[in-house]
């Protein structure tokens, strides 16, 4: 029998040396990269980073470029944070990239007079810098916590409080811009402290009614010749200024950059009522036009 060939051990030693020569620099580069990522990070433009080092130091990095975190943790915060509705976005991706925003479906509101609707809105908030921002980061730790616990409840509360100041009829009668202005005003400066008051309005255009009508009188509305209305009154201090509920996020130095109500969609029952009113007005206008044409025809005929 033939003996198996003896392996060339010298060639095996050369291969090991070649692998060591190639692998050593690669491992060194990987170690340096890991060390670099644990020591340094890059702060993007338009954001601030809350840094906690292993030495117990907390700091805020605002300048664009590389900064040290010394094996600690860093959390990026966008300088402006948005809370809006009826827009599509990936919240988790936004938070990871340092561009936090929360997007919601249309928020339900109730007007004065118990007409419910859904509102679309858009708001933007600007965070403070330096020590004022550090207080926010220490209190809420992450942008998502700040959104969910501070900004979002404030926006919801303000939207409902604004809807309570007027009826749906007043809103659609021409007070849309006033609604938006009050929403921004209360979001910036705090909610009005209000009270609801019931008043009785005399309906002078209806004749006084009794159970038995006199001859020649109109039927009108049977019963009392007055109507009940509810109005919202703003509470005032001794100097005549509106009393307000202080905004908690304003205590941290957060500013409202923009706040607007983009659309309000009332409930289907109210929409049907609006359609009937528009049809009645159109029929009334048509009847008035026909009457004028008939009077003009009589004048020409005479």
């Amino acid at each position: 029998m033939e003996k198996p060939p003896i392996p060339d051990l010298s060639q095996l030693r050369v291969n090991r040396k070649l692998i060591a020569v190639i692998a050593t620099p690669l491992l060194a580069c990987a170690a340096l990269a890991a060390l670099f990522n644990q020591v340094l990070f890059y702060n993007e433009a338009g954001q601030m980073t809350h840094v906690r080092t292993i030495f117990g130091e907390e700091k805020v990095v605002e300048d664009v470029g590389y900064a040290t975190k010394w094996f600690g943790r860093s959390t990026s915060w966008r300088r402006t944070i948005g809370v809006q509705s009826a827009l599509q976005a990936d919240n988790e991706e936004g938070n990871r990239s340092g561009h936090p925003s929360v997007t919601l479906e249309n928020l339900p509101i109730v007007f004065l007079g118990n007409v419910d609707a859904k509102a679309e809105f858009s708001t933007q908030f600007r965070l403070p810098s330096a020590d004022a921002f550090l207080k926010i980061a220490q209190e809420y730790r992450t942008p998502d916590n700040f959104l969910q616990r501070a900004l979002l409840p404030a926006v919801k509360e303000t939207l409902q409080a604004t809807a309570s100041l007027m009826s749906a009829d007043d809103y659609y009668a021409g007070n849309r811009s006033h609604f938006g202005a009050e929403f921004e005003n209360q979001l910036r400066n705090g909610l009005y402290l209000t009270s609801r008051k019931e008043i009785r309005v005399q309906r002078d255009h209806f004749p006084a009614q009794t159970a038995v009508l006199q001859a020649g009188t109109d039927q009108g509305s049977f019963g009392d010749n007055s109507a009940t209305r509810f109005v919202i009154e703003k509470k005032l201090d001794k100097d005549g200024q509106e009393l307000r509920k202080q905004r908690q996020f304003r205590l941290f130095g957060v500013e409202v950059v923009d706040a607007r109500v983009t659309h309000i969609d009332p409930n289907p029952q109210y929409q049907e009522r609006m359609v009937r009113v528009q049809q009645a007005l159109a029929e009334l206008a048509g009847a008035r036009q026909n009457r004028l044409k008939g009077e003009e025809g009589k004048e020409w005929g005479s």
Side-chain angles (χ1 to χ4, degrees), residues 81-99:
I81 300 179
V83 180
Q84 52 200 6
S85 68
L87 297 175
Q88 295 181 354
D90 186 352
N91 290 339
E92 293 182 359
E93 181 180 353
N95 289 338
R96 289 195 301 266
S97 62
H99 296 69

Side-chain angles (χ1 to χ4, degrees), residues 82-284:
V83 180
Q84 52 200 6
S85 68
L87 297 175
Q88 295 181 354
D90 186 352
N91 290 339
E92 293 182 359
E93 181 180 353
N95 289 338
R96 289 195 301 266
S97 62
H99 296 69
S101 64
V102 60
T103 57
L104 310 167
E105 296 181 355
N106 299 345
L107 287 184
I109 59 174
V110 180
F111 283 102
L112 179 65
N114 295 327
V115 175
D116 60 298
K118 292 183 178 180
E120 297 179 7
F121 63 92
S122 176
T123 59
Q124 290 288 330
F125 301 87
R126 180 183 293 116
L127 300 181
S129 58
D131 292 339
F133 168 72
L134 188 57
K135 292 181 180 179
I136 297 176
Q138 292 171 342
E139 179 74 21
Y140 296 96
R141 309 310 292 180
T142 66
D144 185 65
N145 283 342
F146 185 61
L147 279 168
Q148 298 294 334
R149 293 168 50 194
L151 299 184
L152 183 55
V155 172
K156 289 182 176 180
E157 184 183 30
T158 304
L159 196 61
Q160 179 53 62
T162 305
S164 301
L165 294 176
M166 67 177 64
S167 65
D169 291 338
D170 291 337
Y171 175 82
Y172 288 103
N175 283 339
R176 299 189 183 192
S177 59
H178 180 65
F179 186 97
E182 288 287 23
F183 173 69
E184 182 176 0
N185 185 356
Q186 293 192 91
L187 193 60
R188 290 181 185 273
N189 305 314
L191 297 179
Y192 297 120
L193 299 184
T194 61
S195 60
R196 192 175 75 160
K197 183 178 180 182
E198 179 181 347
I199 61 174
R200 300 186 68 82
V201 180
Q202 192 69 23
R203 298 182 294 187
D204 296 332
H205 57 285
F206 288 147
Q209 300 299 320
T210 60
V212 180
L213 294 178
Q214 301 297 324
T217 60
D218 296 330
Q219 176 65 41
S221 298
F222 179 80
D224 193 5
N225 200 39
S226 60
T228 300
R229 289 189 57 192
F230 292 98
V231 296
I232 297 297
E233 292 185 347
K234 300 173 183 176
K235 295 183 178 181
L236 307 177
D237 59 14
K238 60 181 181 180
D239 298 325
Q241 300 295 323
E242 295 94 348
L243 294 175
R244 294 177 182 263
K245 176 184 176 181
Q246 182 65 40
R247 285 293 180 203
Q248 294 300 316
F249 65 82
R250 292 297 304 272
L251 300 179
F252 290 102
V254 179
E255 298 180 0
V256 178
V257 177
D258 181 52
R260 62 186 66 192
V261 179
T262 55
H263 179 68
I264 290 182
D265 187 23
N267 60 50
Q269 294 80 7
Y270 188 82
Q271 293 183 29
E272 293 175 359
R273 174 191 163 192
M274 292 174 64
V275 171
R276 291 196 298 268
V277 170
Q278 292 174 356
Q279 291 176 346
L281 292 176
E283 293 174 358
L284 180 62

Side-chain angles (χ1 to χ4, degrees), residues 35 38-40 51-59 68-73:
L35 183 63
Q38 292 298 321
V39 174
L40 299 174
V51 179
R52 289 88 70 199
T53 69
I54 62 173
F55 306 112
E57 178 189 6
E58 284 192 85
K59 64 179 180 179
T68 58
K69 62 179 181 179
W70 295 115
F71 303 97
R73 292 181 296 172

Side-chain angles (χ1 to χ4, degrees), residues 22-35:
I22 297 176
T24 301
L26 293 177
L27 294 175
C29 292
L32 289 175
L35 183 63

